[in-house]
């Protein structure tokens, strides 16, 4: 391996970790804000579940 390959490998690793961290942070923030609202509780839970599923699928596609 040359230096360029090592640098690219490390950059991809860091980028992937930061991307996953940001996505997870956004999902957590969205699900927390859903609990505080007044309204049908079951519907908010379904939306949070769908949001998590969609983000998981997007992460898989991005790999």
């Amino acid at each position: 391996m040359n230096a360029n390959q090592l640098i690219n490998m490390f950059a991809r690793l860091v980028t992937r970790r930061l991307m996953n961290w940001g996505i997870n942070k956004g999902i957590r923030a969205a699900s927390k804000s859903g609990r505080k609202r007044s309204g049908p509780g079951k519907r908010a839970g379904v939306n949070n579940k769908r949001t998590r599923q969609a983000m998981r699928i997007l992460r898989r596609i991005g790999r």
Side-chain angles (χ1 to χ4, degrees), residues 44-57:
V46 170
N47 288 336
N48 292 337
K49 180 181 176 184
R50 296 279 183 235
T51 304
R52 277 190 234 105
Q53 286 176 344
M55 297 310 290
R56 206 174 302 131
I57 290 169

Side-chain angles (χ1 to χ4, degrees), residues 6-53:
L6 288 172
I7 292 169
N8 284 337
M9 184 174 59
F10 181 72
R12 278 195 308 271
L13 185 141
V14 170
T15 304
R16 188 179 304 126
R17 294 262 173 115
L18 288 173
M19 185 71 72
N20 285 337
W21 176 79
I23 289 170
N24 289 334
K25 191 170 175 78
I27 291 171
R28 282 187 220 114
S31 62
K32 283 181 185 176
S33 67
R35 286 187 208 135
K36 291 179 184 174
R37 293 183 194 152
S38 60
K42 187 175 182 179
R43 188 71 182 159
V46 170
N47 288 336
N48 292 337
K49 180 181 176 184
R50 296 279 183 235
T51 304
R52 277 190 234 105
Q53 286 176 344

